[in-house]
Amino acid sequence: MKYKHVTLVCGHYGSGKTNIAVNMAFDLKKQYPDTAIADLDIVNPYFRTTDSRRELEEAGIRVIASEYAGTNLDAPALPAEIYAITENADMKTIVDVGGDDRGALALGRIAPAIKESGDFDMLLVINKYRPLTPDAESTVEVMHEIETACRLPFTGIVNNSNLGELTTPETVLESAEYAEAVSRLSGLPIVLTTARDDIAEELGAFPLTLQKKPI
């Protein structure tokens, strides 16, 4: 995958966007030396990018996150470093945006600069197997809510449909029609379909472009 200056990763709660963001950061680091990942998920205290801080920093990836991330205090605070995302022209950044429209509001401070630059992708992470996004219509409704909140348009879709440890190759294959329906209804291309390494190997020729390692 070819990355823009800023790649925003958004999605409904449970879509797996944080796992995608972290894996994208590792993938980007292979292509570009000055890589960062920004954790703007100030809503969800359960699984954050900063849970993988040690692995990310050991790989030479800069982590931009609230000073409260990873603590027992779930305070809606953004780091001062957030401005480096748009001001540092030499750094490419993956941004883990909060779930749904409430989390997307955190982008408010830097959304105008991102939009003005034009050098960004905003990817909608979708998961057919989550209860609130089982079909294209409900998924696109969430998409519009996020766009309204962050004042940025989506540019592509990441089909991350999975059932966690219960995911099989059939789970991924059966989500293809759903992802295509979301694409048709939203007018957005499917940029990636993801799967764990072992499942991707079983699927062989199926066009998987991001193999996920557990984070």
Side-chain angles (χ1 to χ4, degrees):
M1 176 175 173
K2 185 175 181 180
Y3 294 90
K4 300 286 186 67
H5 181 223
V6 178
T7 301
L8 305 154
V9 183
C10 314
H12 193 276
Y13 297 119
S15 62
K17 63 177 183 56
T18 293
N19 187 275
I20 295 298
V22 171
N23 276 275
M24 280 186 170
F26 284 115
D27 187 53
L28 174 58
K29 179 63 178 179
K30 295 175 184 176
Q31 305 176 35
Y32 198 80
D34 196 351
T35 294
I37 184 167
D39 184 351
L40 300 191
D41 192 344
I42 62 173
V43 173
N44 182 7
Y46 299 109
F47 181 54
R48 287 175 151 167
T49 297
T50 46
D51 293 342
S52 302
R53 180 188 288 273
R54 181 176 61 81
E55 292 87 347
L56 289 161
E57 291 181 341
E58 286 179 352
I61 299 169
R62 178 178 177 181
V63 178
I64 300 173
S66 166
E67 62 182 303
Y68 301 113
T71 70
N72 292 327
L73 179 59
D74 193 47
L78 289 173
E81 290 179 288
I82 188 175
Y83 297 105
I85 295 171
T86 54
E87 293 174 358
N88 187 341
D90 296 325
M91 182 178 72
K92 290 193 177 184
T93 307
I94 306 295
V95 182
D96 177 12
V97 182
D100 292 352
D101 56 332
R102 287 182 295 166
L105 288 170
L107 268 179
R109 294 186 191 176
I110 58 172
I114 292 174
K115 189 172 184 178
E116 183 179 355
S117 76
D119 192 8
F120 75 94
D121 274 318
M122 189 160 88
L123 303 178
L124 176 68
V125 179
I126 63 174
N127 188 344
K128 170 185 177 180
Y129 303 107
R130 299 303 299 170
L132 296 181
T133 53
D135 52 52
E137 291 74 17
S138 59
T139 304
V140 170
E141 183 177 347
V142 169
M143 182 195 84
H144 289 315
E145 290 172 353
I146 295 173
E147 284 183 324
T148 299
C150 69
R151 302 189 298 279
L152 289 169
F154 279 103
T155 61
I157 295 167
V158 175
N159 178 18
N160 188 47
S161 296
N162 70 88
L163 292 168
E165 294 182 358
L166 299 178
T167 303
T168 64
E170 290 72 28
T171 303
V172 178
L173 291 171
E174 290 170 4
S175 72
E177 184 176 347
Y178 155 79
E180 289 167 2
V182 174
S183 177
R184 287 193 302 270
L185 191 59
S186 66
L188 297 173
I190 300 171
V191 176
L192 299 172
T193 296
T194 69
R196 292 196 318 263
D197 287 352
D198 58 321
I199 291 176
E201 289 173 3
E202 287 190 52
L203 290 171
F206 190 74
L208 299 166
T209 47
L210 181 67
Q211 298 180 347
K212 300 185 298 178
K213 62 179 180 178
I215 298 299

